[in-house]
Amino acid sequence: MNLCEEIRNPLRRFPRRGIRRWGVKRAAVAITVVTSGGAPGVLLTRHAAALRNQPGPYALPGGRTGSGESAPDAARRELAEQLGMQLPSKSVLGLLDDYEARSGLVITPVVIWAGEHSGPLRPREGRQVAPGCTVPFLDLDVEPVFVAIPGSDRPVIRLPLHGEWLHAPTAAVLYQFREVVIYQRRTRVAHLAEPTFARR
């Protein structure tokens, strides 16, 4: 069995939970799996608002879902716009649980297979993101930290990455990806909160 199928199969078995509620605003993020010398990793980018001083937080490529647009199509479109990576619809391996952000935005994580990739990753002109980077699966295999925040009974998740912290939604989505794909566990993350300052 090749790596692509090893990722697709647990996603097929995973009983995904969607959020179906009229009137909510929706977005999609791309969990894009690439390989380098056979070692798998996930593409992340950074918000570019303060790049001259310090890059913004790590994030998954993604954005709002257009009218009549499916989550997989939105994730592939955002991936092309943010990192210049054009992938066909057959590259979609599956979906994880919807995650409702603090703002009320419902985010659908879409797992996409890109395979071996060594070319430059550059955002389309005008997109406020930095060039992408690859985070190996090994770097995702870390223990999450759960903390409490005032006024909420929901734990806040943080994942350590390269000397920084990933926060929800990105941390929650990548934590579930690790649990479902690497460990083949049916771990849920909808109860995990964002810190008040977090951005996707």
Side-chain angles (χ1 to χ4, degrees):
M1 185 185 303
N2 61 32
L3 179 60
C4 180
E5 288 304 309
E6 288 178 0
I7 295 171
R8 189 194 307 271
N9 287 340
L11 289 168
R12 283 174 171 166
R13 294 191 295 268
F14 180 62
R16 175 184 180 270
R17 293 180 180 174
I19 296 175
R20 298 181 181 276
R21 193 164 63 244
W22 185 84
V24 298
K25 295 179 179 179
R26 296 187 174 272
V29 293
I31 306 171
T32 310
V33 180
V34 296
T35 57
S36 177
V42 173
L43 293 180
L44 293 182
T45 187
R46 285 179 182 263
H47 295 282
L51 277 180
R52 279 180 288 183
N53 300 314
Q54 181 178 356
Y58 286 106
L60 292 161
R64 293 289 183 93
T65 302
S67 177
E69 186 178 40
S70 69
D73 286 349
R76 290 190 302 111
R77 172 180 54 76
E78 289 287 341
L79 184 62
E81 292 179 357
Q82 293 187 17
L83 294 180
M85 182 176 281
Q86 302 272 356
L87 294 173
S89 58
K90 66 180 181 181
S91 65
V92 174
L93 302 182
L95 308 178
L96 293 174
D97 287 346
D98 285 349
Y99 181 91
E100 187 167 6
R102 180 183 298 276
S103 65
L105 185 71
V106 173
I107 301 166
T108 301
V110 181
V111 182
I112 299 175
W113 174 257
E116 190 71 26
H117 185 81
S118 58
L121 296 169
R122 298 291 178 184
R124 182 178 294 177
E125 186 176 352
R127 294 307 299 254
Q128 295 300 307
V129 294
C133 65
T134 302
V135 178
F137 278 15
L138 286 175
D139 288 359
L140 298 178
D141 193 16
V142 293
E143 285 302 311
V145 174
F146 300 102
V147 297
I149 57 174
S152 175
D153 58 358
R154 298 171 60 195
V156 170
I157 184 173
R158 302 191 303 185
L159 290 180
L161 178 66
H162 301 170
E164 302 179 34
W165 290 108
L166 279 181
H167 298 280
T170 302
V173 169
L174 288 178
Y175 175 58
Q176 187 176 54
F177 173 79
R178 185 199 80 169
E179 291 288 286
V180 172
V181 170
I182 298 175
Y183 290 121
Q184 300 189 30
R185 300 169 178 158
R186 295 185 176 184
T187 301
R188 305 295 177 181
V189 296
H191 65 290
L192 299 177
E194 305 164 78
T196 54
F197 57 82
R199 296 182 295 175
R200 182 186 52 78

